[in-house]
Amino acid sequence: MTSAASARKNAPIWVRLLLPRDAPLYQRNDAVMGWLMALPALLILTIFLVIPFMMAFVVSFTNQRLISPNPAEWVGFRNFERLLTIRNFTLEPERDDSGAIVYADGEISYPRLREFTRNNPDYPELDGLREFTSWQSGDNRTVILVGDVVFLRALINTLIFAAVIAPLQGGLALLLALLLNQALPFINVFRSIYFAPVVVSMVVVSLLWRFIYDGQNGLLNTILGMITFGNFQPVDWLGNPYTAMPAMIAMSAWQAVGFHMVIWLAGLQTIPVSLYEAAGLDGAGAFQKFRYVTWPGLRNTAVLVLIVITIQAMGLFVQVDVMTRGGPLDATQSVVFQAVQRGYDKQDIAEGAAISVILFVIVFTIAMVQRYLTRERS
Amino acid sequence: MKKAASLLVLAIMLVAFSGLASAQTELSLWYHGAGNETERSILLGIIDDFNALQSDYAVVLEEFPQESYNSSIVAAALAGDLPDIIDVDGPVMPGWAWAGYMVPLNLSEGALDDFLPGAIGTWNGDVYSVGLWDAAVALLALESTLDAHGIRVPTLDAPWTGEEFDDILEQLQATGDYEYALDLGMAWTGEWYPYAFSPLLQSFGGDMIDRDTYLSAEGVLNGDEAVAFGEWWQSLFERGLAAGTSQDGADRETCFIDQTCAVQWNGNWAGLGALEAHGDDLLFLPAPDFGAGSTIGAASWQFGISSASENPEGASAFIEFAIQDEYLAAFSDGIGLIPATSSAAAISEYYSEGGPLEVFYGLSNEQALVRPVTPGYATMALIFEKALADIANGADVLDTLDAAVDEIDQDIEDNGGYGFEM
Amino acid sequence: MNTMSFETRQNLLTGLRYALLILIAAIFIFPILFMVMSSLKPDLQLLRDSASLRAFLPVGDISLDNYADAFERVPMLQFAFNSVFTTAVSVGASLWLNSMAAFSFAFLKWRGKTIVLSLIIATFIVPFEVIAIPLLLVVNNLPWIGAGGIEIGWLNTYHVQIIPFIADSLGIFLFYQYFRDLPEELIEAARIDGASIWQIYARIIMPIAGPILATVAILKFLVMWNAYIWPLMTIRSEELRPIMVGLQYFFQLNTAWGEIMAYLSVVTIPVLIFYLALQRAFIESIATSGIKG
């Protein structure tokens, strides 16, 4: 040990810099090659990803505009405050002169919120806030007021989208992979067909599905009508706030499931046939084989699929941009769509950058938690 | 004879080597019409004429697809890579002028005298851009439909009143012959919303911003008139009179031709297709008057000079060359747009007297009101679009308009008034 | 059931399997079928048919006119060449750089590796849309050695469409995950045999990385083939534009839906071919070789 330490001490500076503290000197070749092999990729990532992101990070603390002759100024956390302000506020019922509560149509009548949130010098802290949600508490109404309703909806929508699509798409992909992982004639044809939507760009897919989801005479309504012999009431899939997000989730899963199916298939095919044969000899049924042979063998694939889907889902953008532009009534707003719309279309690049920074922090946290939960326990 | 021949050879050689030896200074021109063969050939015709008729400058065309043209310009500006001559959508021009992307035109006195107001782009007292055409919007309906239901044909002088219009829609919807009585084109997200629908708001007496100061939308976009507009707007969809925001592009393009909608709010560019389908039966009608007059939007694509140009006088010369009646009429004949001058209209195929689209020239000339002339327009337009979409989908009218006003005002404040005195 | 012979039961089961496979196939194929069939129809008929099952049938006024018109409107061969070129170079380079980096992370010990790896994972959660503008400013200030010596600014070139994208953290991550699963003995044995690190990478690891190479290649291919925001921002000459930008050429005042469908069909087919080729080369071979322990 001491000799190793002294050998290390006498080694050239670059060896000491590259070699891990606890590694013996004979591994210096590893260390140098390790750096060299990683370097090209790291360099490119740094220049074209890390630096631009750092620039966005810096911009998020300014009032930089996309198009403007005005010089940018530091504004501290202003952009973040605007996005993240949340307050609760109690709305008291309207009372008549005698102090009795005023009812309208059998319901307690409240003053309009705008009397408090717009130019009311008594409530400066509420100025410009909007209602996010509210509920009844006794005679009063508790209102959650936020600085940026649209952003908050976008954030919640995106989280829901990711939370639903990760198990849905991953699970469906696994089912398809299991279905295809057998030696039947023409199985390759089916594999290619299931994969086909993946190769169609999301822009294109979204365009096509606008036709399919159309409320008046869309294909989906037509098909559902035929299957139910005309008993199906046509739904305006993208026009109804309750169906828009599920419709988008279904389409997104449809488009990408083939890709993850292929990843699962690759994983499945690395499981040695001998393991199945051994399990068969032990009298295991199909389900048991899956439970004790297949699933453990797919562990790493599962982690991969889960993380990749989640991260891609958090970047939800194209579908929203092409199909709904965030509507109806913000039902399909997404964080990246908001970042893009504000940064480019509304030319408020600083606020767009602030949204990206928030997204980064959230996704990074999720990824770390996922990695922690799925870490290998030795 | 020999001399002439040798001159000819010399001329050919000059032309052949003009790429190498030309004394002409190159002027780059960016245009939004990539993919439109007709527009391209007309524009190239103008450029060829210009390059041939003078020896100082040679204009070179680069084309971009329209959908993303603005992003390309902004990216080029950020990278310091703007061309000499740019084309610019009318309402976007003040933003680019304010940001320093553009410099004023330098045209000879009186060059724009006969021009439609909507075809001239003015900012801060200077003319920055000029269009070879304008666009206009009208209500499309069939004469036979109106006759069959005893509906009077409105005129420029006596458009339908708001109430009359509403009754007509109810009446047509009640016939059961149509999916929707009215097609507003809700499928066309983006600039169509402010362009086509803000005139309806103006006809109610509201607007997107207070045009006296250009500093606030308070009381204008959320005043009583605007709320009345919002309530009416919402009721169109609640009553099922018009297709909502989820309309697909196909319905928009086919409904009037297939007569699954009775009345359509559409631009002059759709006029030719509708004429083909319905011929003489087709009527182009002025916007209804909801109390504050009947009005439509104005300003389409225009040419201007980039601040990066080292030869602004050459760029001006080209633009002045391009706005000859002959070219205005060529564009109009080619793609159905409204010629920017009455003299060009007179020699055009569709807008001359008795031409099938003549009525649009009148609309443009008499009713057009440009969208708010402020660098803040780009942002304002998106806020307005979202407000209209939300209201159409059932959001509370007053709250939605309040929110739009707050966002517009905040944006103006963040931008130090966009060049207007705060 | 008991009376049924084993063979009959097997046949029935196989029949059911195929029925299920076909049903699912129908779900995956119908929008694509809609696209291809629509590409054969004139605009008005296309839009009318889109409401009924006629959308999936080559009925009515069928022709290849849309293809001819689309080719006329867009310099498709030029665009296709540009896309094939930028995509091929990017895919090749990214397979190399990413696998090399992942190899280093998976098998070699060097200082700072853990931190760098975490950072890499962090970077793949940055959506491209949010860094596009800063990235534009970066590439506009980078030097390049061209025909005329050193030039500043990468705008309007092929390399601006390629180099920023050849390393990607998702690719590195995918390779890394795969490499970690390979049996340690493979490396150890090679080391004992005196193989150099480079030899281990090139001769031992890469030859058995088929499935993951295919996966990363497909991913990169799709990203590059579908690239469209970035070229819009950086390319101004038609000679350099990629194929997806061409899609925008069709959104005129009156959208040419038939031509769009034709263009989309043409754009999609090479990708399917690319996938089929990869599937043959990698995914199937791996099924029989069973290299992993």
Side-chain angles (χ1 to χ4, degrees):
Chain A
M1 210 43 211
T2 27
S3 66
S6 68
R8 187 189 163 86
K9 218 172 188 178
N10 296 329
I13 174 101
W14 52 271
V15 170
R16 274 182 283 157
L17 270 177
L18 298 181
L19 199 63
R21 236 175 263 283
D22 55 352
L25 192 59
Y26 70 81
Q27 285 185 353
R28 63 174 178 265
N29 218 2
D30 271 33
V32 175
M33 274 306 279
W35 261 105
L36 281 180
M37 292 179 87
L39 199 61
L42 294 184
L43 214 60
I44 289 180
L45 282 176
T46 307
I47 297 174
F48 299 108
L49 223 150
V50 178
I51 290 178
F53 184 71
M54 296 310 272
M55 288 164 76
F57 183 77
V58 171
V59 162
S60 71
F61 294 96
T62 70
N63 65 355
Q64 175 82 49
R65 309 288 301 191
L66 187 60
I67 300 177
S68 173
N70 301 335
E73 293 159 1
W74 294 104
V75 294
F77 285 90
R78 184 195 82 181
N79 297 316
F80 294 94
E81 269 170 34
R82 283 186 184 174
L83 291 167
L84 298 172
T85 303
I86 298 181
R87 280 176 183 280
N88 71 339
F89 175 67
T90 305
L91 208 53
E92 288 172 11
E94 281 186 32
R95 292 172 192 276
D96 58 21
D97 295 339
S98 65
I101 293 174
V102 177
Y103 286 84
D105 298 331
E107 297 204 22
I108 300 175
S109 160
Y110 296 95
R112 277 201 87 116
L113 261 177
R114 76 194 296 262
E115 289 164 28
F116 301 94
T117 58
R118 295 181 62 78
N119 313 315
N120 186 333
D122 297 336
Y123 296 90
E125 74 280 9
L126 300 184
D127 197 52
L129 298 188
R130 284 180 68 200
E131 174 177 339
F132 183 71
T133 183
S134 67
W135 62 86
Q136 201 73 30
S137 48
D139 286 341
N140 295 337
R141 259 194 105 67
T142 304
V143 184
I144 301 297
L145 293 172
V146 300
D148 196 323
V149 177
V150 176
F151 173 69
L152 204 59
R153 289 229 192 282
L155 187 56
I156 292 173
N157 286 340
T158 309
L159 289 171
I160 291 175
F161 180 81
V164 174
I165 207 156
L168 179 76
Q169 189 174 307
L172 284 176
L174 178 57
L175 285 178
L176 291 179
L178 290 171
L179 195 64
L180 289 181
N181 192 33
Q182 42 193 333
L184 284 173
F186 302 114
I187 204 80
N188 282 331
V189 176
F190 289 105
R191 188 186 290 166
S192 303
I193 291 177
Y194 296 1
F195 190 80
V198 178
V199 308
V200 186
S201 124
M202 193 46 120
V203 176
V204 176
V205 167
S206 305
L207 277 173
L208 290 174
W209 281 76
R210 258 191 90 136
F211 282 97
I212 292 166
Y213 279 143
D214 184 60
Q216 280 296 307
N217 44 21
L219 277 170
L220 184 60
N221 281 335
T222 309
I223 291 171
L224 288 175
M226 280 176 37
I227 292 174
T228 58
F229 302 103
N231 289 318
F232 180 79
Q233 278 299 318
V235 174
D236 188 359
W237 297 99
L238 294 175
N240 181 327
Y242 297 102
T243 54
M245 187 48 114
M248 197 167 281
I249 289 174
M251 185 207 78
S252 307
W254 173 86
Q255 195 265 348
V257 75
F259 179 72
H260 297 283
M261 174 192 81
V262 169
I263 298 189
W264 284 119
L265 271 172
L268 280 173
Q269 287 165 353
T270 59
I271 299 173
V273 184
S274 57
L275 282 183
Y276 287 106
E277 286 165 355
L281 287 178
D282 291 345
F287 178 75
Q288 279 163 321
K289 278 185 190 166
F290 177 79
R291 172 74 185 77
Y292 294 105
V293 180
T294 315
W295 186 243
L298 290 175
R299 226 190 126 275
N300 277 324
T301 312
V303 174
L304 182 77
V305 167
L306 187 70
I307 293 183
V308 169
I309 298 181
T310 311
I311 288 175
Q312 284 177 343
M314 293 300 291
L316 172 66
F317 170 69
V318 175
Q319 300 95 303
V320 177
D321 191 37
V322 177
M323 295 208 304
T324 60
R325 314 253 305 151
L329 298 181
D330 297 330
T332 58
Q333 290 287 0
S334 82
V335 175
V336 177
F337 180 73
Q338 277 304 310
V340 170
Q341 195 176 47
R342 294 180 198 206
Y344 297 62
D345 303 339
K346 292 186 180 166
Q347 304 171 0
D348 192 347
I349 195 163
E351 196 173 45
I355 292 178
S356 348
V357 170
I358 294 173
L359 178 70
F360 179 81
V361 171
I362 291 172
V363 181
F364 189 67
T365 312
I366 294 175
M368 286 297 128
V369 169
Q370 279 180 338
R371 267 177 75 78
Y372 176 78
L373 291 178
T374 55
R375 73 193 181 283
E376 274 175 67
R377 299 173 188 88
S378 46
Chain B
M1 195 59 203
K2 214 173 175 187
K3 201 176 173 190
S6 62
L7 266 178
L8 188 70
V9 171
L10 191 68
I12 291 170
M13 277 175 64
L14 269 179
V15 171
F17 290 110
S18 63
L20 298 171
S22 160
Q24 288 180 313
T25 312
E26 248 184 40
L27 295 175
S28 48
L29 160 64
W30 287 10
Y31 188 69
H32 73 271
N36 192 322
E37 215 33 65
T38 324
E39 262 179 277
R40 179 193 172 82
S41 61
I42 298 170
L43 189 57
L44 280 178
I46 300 177
I47 290 173
D48 286 347
D49 290 354
F50 178 75
N51 292 350
L53 288 172
Q54 47 77 49
S55 53
D56 294 337
Y57 305 102
V59 173
V60 180
L61 173 69
E62 305 254 28
E63 286 187 293
F64 295 79
Q66 172 168 350
E67 289 257 310
S68 49
Y69 178 79
N70 288 356
S71 324
S72 301
I73 286 277
V74 170
L78 290 176
D81 197 32
L82 283 172
D84 295 284
I85 306 163
I86 46 185
D87 86 322
V88 51
D89 198 7
V92 170
M93 181 276 292
W96 292 0
W98 176 68
Y101 293 5
M102 296 174 72
V103 292
L105 296 178
N106 186 12
L107 303 178
S108 42
E109 194 87 17
L112 302 177
D113 278 354
D114 185 33
F115 270 66
L116 287 173
I120 302 171
T122 311
W123 163 245
N124 244 347
D126 288 319
V127 174
Y128 275 82
S129 58
V130 56
L132 275 63
W133 61 79
D134 202 351
V137 175
L139 287 169
L140 276 61
L142 297 186
E143 198 166 9
S144 53
T145 309
L146 301 190
D147 283 350
H149 300 97
I151 299 164
R152 85 174 169 95
V153 177
T155 62
L156 259 178
D157 297 324
W160 286 328
T161 66
E163 234 168 89
E164 200 179 355
F165 182 52
D166 207 67
D167 290 343
I168 290 167
L169 294 181
E170 289 269 12
Q171 184 188 350
L172 290 170
Q173 189 73 41
T175 61
D177 295 342
Y178 308 99
E179 275 174 20
Y180 295 106
L182 176 65
D183 171 41
L184 290 160
M186 301 295 279
W188 287 351
T189 53
E191 190 53 34
W192 174 251
Y193 277 54
Y195 171 64
F197 305 144
S198 67
L200 302 176
L201 166 65
Q202 284 152 5
S203 184
F204 269 89
D207 205 340
M208 288 165 72
I209 189 166
D210 179 353
R211 295 197 193 211
D212 292 334
T213 63
Y214 276 112
L215 290 176
S216 172
E218 183 76 47
V220 181
L221 183 52
N222 60 351
D224 293 342
E225 297 85 3
V227 172
F229 161 76
E231 304 281 359
W232 173 74
W233 179 255
Q234 189 163 59
S235 79
L236 284 178
F237 307 96
E238 267 172 11
R239 289 179 287 168
L241 298 178
T245 52
S246 64
Q247 181 191 42
D248 77 22
D251 291 342
R252 167 61 169 170
E253 282 172 38
T254 54
C255 88
F256 187 74
I257 289 171
D258 290 347
Q259 282 293 297
T260 54
C261 57
V263 181
Q264 186 174 51
W265 187 229
N266 210 336
N268 57 288
W269 56 88
L272 292 178
L275 266 175
E276 217 168 273
H278 300 299
D280 285 348
D281 199 13
L282 180 65
L283 297 172
F284 299 105
L285 309 173
D289 178 358
F290 292 92
S294 163
T295 178
I296 55 168
S300 182
W301 289 89
Q302 305 174 347
F303 285 110
I305 304 170
S306 120
S307 55
S309 176
E310 287 169 13
N311 299 288
E313 63 294 340
S316 267
F318 172 76
I319 293 173
E320 185 151 357
F321 181 83
I323 56 176
Q324 301 178 50
D325 282 348
E326 168 194 349
Y327 299 133
L328 271 49
F331 263 109
S332 172
D333 294 349
I335 46 182
L337 295 158
I338 304 170
T341 66
S342 58
S343 41
I347 56 170
S348 74
E349 184 182 347
Y350 305 120
Y351 297 89
S352 51
E353 219 174 309
L357 301 177
E358 187 196 357
V359 55
F360 280 104
Y361 189 86
L363 291 174
S364 248
N365 203 19
E366 291 179 37
Q367 297 197 326
L369 177 62
V370 289
R371 284 154 277 180
V373 187
T374 159
Y377 176 77
T379 307
M380 192 184 300
L382 286 164
I383 297 168
F384 183 74
E385 179 191 351
K386 175 165 162 49
L388 284 200
D390 284 352
I391 291 172
N393 284 317
D396 182 90
V397 173
L398 184 55
D399 285 347
T400 306
L401 293 176
D402 275 350
V405 167
D406 283 348
E407 207 183 334
I408 289 172
D409 286 8
Q410 176 83 73
D411 181 64
I412 293 171
E413 195 191 317
D414 285 351
N415 281 282
Y418 278 119
F420 291 94
E421 210 60 50
M422 287 193 83
Chain C
M1 271 305 256
N2 286 343
T3 55
M4 230 184 255
S5 76
F6 178 76
E7 221 162 89
T8 324
R9 248 168 50 198
Q10 277 301 323
N11 283 341
L12 200 67
L13 212 62
T14 312
L16 277 175
R17 243 181 212 157
Y18 274 110
L20 186 63
L21 285 170
I22 289 170
L23 184 74
I24 297 172
I27 295 173
F28 280 107
I29 204 78
F30 85 100
I32 296 167
L33 201 63
F34 169 53
M35 172 177 87
V36 176
M37 290 308 160
S38 298
S39 73
L40 303 171
K41 302 171 182 175
D43 280 2
L44 262 184
Q45 190 203 332
L46 179 174
L47 298 178
R48 283 184 193 132
D49 283 0
S50 77
S52 71
L53 291 190
R54 288 168 63 88
F56 304 119
L57 301 171
V59 291
D61 190 359
I62 294 298
S63 75
L64 291 175
D65 289 355
N66 287 325
Y67 288 85
D69 292 344
F71 268 94
E72 200 153 300
R73 189 192 292 270
V74 179
M76 187 133 48
L77 289 178
Q78 177 74 54
F79 286 9
F81 169 80
N82 296 338
S83 274
V84 168
F85 178 72
T86 52
T87 304
V89 175
S90 313
V91 169
S94 83
L95 288 179
W96 180 43
L97 292 197
N98 291 335
S99 66
M100 205 164 69
F103 175 86
S104 164
F105 286 120
F107 298 122
L108 303 176
K109 286 196 179 120
W110 40 278
R111 207 166 172 183
K113 190 171 88 173
T114 332
I115 301 170
V116 174
L117 190 62
S118 308
L119 282 176
I120 284 197
I121 291 167
T123 58
F124 85 74
I125 61 193
V126 180
F128 175 75
E129 291 85 359
V130 307
I131 57 155
I133 289 198
L135 182 58
L136 175 72
L137 300 178
V138 168
V139 297
N140 189 43
N141 288 302
L142 288 174
W144 183 261
I145 301 167
I150 294 181
E151 298 154 9
I152 298 294
W154 286 16
L155 295 188
N156 211 31
T157 58
Y158 279 122
H159 54 267
V160 77
Q161 303 182 62
I162 297 172
I163 294 176
F165 307 103
I166 56 181
D168 79 279
S169 29
L170 179 58
I172 295 174
F173 185 67
L174 288 168
F175 275 118
Y176 173 72
Q177 288 270 353
Y178 184 84
F179 290 161
R180 272 198 329 172
D181 282 357
L182 295 176
E184 194 75 21
E185 305 86 66
L186 217 60
I187 315 290
E188 294 309 317
R191 280 188 190 251
I192 290 166
D193 289 347
S196 73
I197 289 171
W198 181 258
Q199 281 170 333
I200 296 176
Y201 164 74
R203 303 254 171 85
I204 298 182
I205 301 300
M206 289 317 273
I208 56 170
I212 199 66
L213 281 168
T215 310
V216 174
I218 292 170
L219 256 183
K220 181 65 24 176
F221 186 99
L222 291 174
V223 169
M224 296 308 296
W225 189 257
N226 294 331
Y228 123 99
I229 297 182
W230 183 243
L232 280 175
M233 296 174 68
T234 55
I235 304 301
R236 56 164 199 260
S237 309
E238 245 177 5
E239 294 76 52
L240 295 169
R241 272 184 201 150
I243 200 153
M244 264 314 193
V245 172
L247 182 57
Q248 299 239 334
Y249 281 44
F250 299 95
F251 291 97
Q252 301 290 334
L253 286 174
N254 294 309
T255 311
W257 286 108
E259 288 180 47
I260 288 182
M261 298 293 181
Y263 192 74
L264 294 180
S265 302
V266 173
V267 166
T268 308
I269 288 161
V271 199
L272 269 174
I273 294 171
F274 180 77
Y275 168 68
L276 289 175
L278 275 187
Q279 170 167 282
R280 271 251 171 81
F282 298 112
I283 298 171
E284 283 175 14
S285 70
I286 206 73
T288 45
S289 64
I291 31 101
K292 293 216 316 188

